[in-house]
Amino acid sequence: MRQFFVLLIFLTLIAYTKSFPSSTFRRDSLSGYTQCEGTFPNEITTASYEPNPAISGENLTVTIAGMSTVTVQEGATLNVTGLYQGKQAFVHNMDFCKVWVEVNGDRCPVSPGYFEYTTQLPIRPPPDDPKNTTISYDSIFQIYNPGDPKTELSCLKGKFDVSYP
């Protein structure tokens, strides 16, 4: 009888977990990105973008979240570098406070603690826009506080896919 109840509990657990989509138990909260080598005081623990792949000429919705131990100062920047076949394909530098913090109703300086920001970024087609292909860029996302020298707060690296219709 005891074996019957153990089997019943086991089957119930299997049925319960199968009733949820696999994305419910997604383990990759960084969407394929990883922390860069080194230590950074403001750790990004969640990162995602939609659509995935990004579509050239359309807006991209990006979400990041994590824990910070260092204040994000006015004038902080986000630098995005993309490499294709080992060569620099693009660099975008943006005011982190204006593009990320303020659009979420906050202001810099941002005190240490939990953060979550969502923003929309345009994917501007390059002049020599390829057609009917998707390109996977090796990308690095770095957030810096201003100063001399700048203080690197966060860093992620990974693939960033862009579809060119």
Side-chain angles (χ1 to χ4, degrees):
M1 186 71 151
R2 182 175 174 199
Q3 290 175 339
F4 174 76
F5 284 115
V6 171
L7 180 61
L8 182 61
I9 291 170
F10 179 73
L11 291 173
T12 302
L13 286 173
I14 289 175
Y16 183 73
T17 58
K18 293 287 186 185
S19 66
F20 289 97
S22 61
S23 62
T24 303
F25 297 104
R26 183 179 182 139
R27 296 176 189 256
D28 183 12
S29 61
L30 289 174
S31 302
Y33 290 91
T34 59
Q35 299 291 327
C36 299
E37 289 78 26
T39 57
F40 305 94
N42 296 357
E43 183 181 10
I44 297 172
T45 56
T46 302
S48 64
Y49 65 93
E50 291 181 355
N52 186 355
I55 301 170
S56 181
E58 295 188 12
N59 282 339
L60 182 70
T61 301
V62 184
T63 299
I64 60 170
M67 288 296 295
S68 64
T69 60
V70 171
T71 298
V72 177
Q73 299 171 5
E74 182 69 37
T77 57
L78 171 65
N79 301 336
V80 181
T81 304
L83 305 172
Y84 180 65
Q85 297 178 342
K87 295 181 182 174
Q88 184 174 301
F90 60 83
V91 174
H92 299 292
N93 301 312
M94 60 192 83
D95 185 317
F96 185 76
C97 294
K98 288 184 173 130
V99 176
W100 291 83
V101 177
E102 290 178 13
V103 300
N104 284 275
D106 291 332
R107 289 233 178 269
C108 285
V110 178
S111 298
Y114 176 78
F115 63 89
E116 183 173 351
Y117 300 119
T118 298
T119 194
Q120 288 200 355
L121 302 170
I123 302 296
R124 293 188 180 95
D128 55 348
D129 198 7
K131 300 291 180 212
N132 302 319
T133 190
T134 298
I135 295 178
S136 186
Y137 297 96
D138 293 313
S139 55
I140 301 171
F141 301 86
Q142 300 164 292
I143 301 173
Y144 291 94
N145 262 342
D148 188 20
K150 295 181 192 179
T151 303
E152 189 169 9
L153 300 175
S154 304
C155 184
L156 289 180
K157 64 180 180 176
K159 298 288 184 187
F160 177 67
D161 298 331
V162 180
S163 173
Y164 296 92

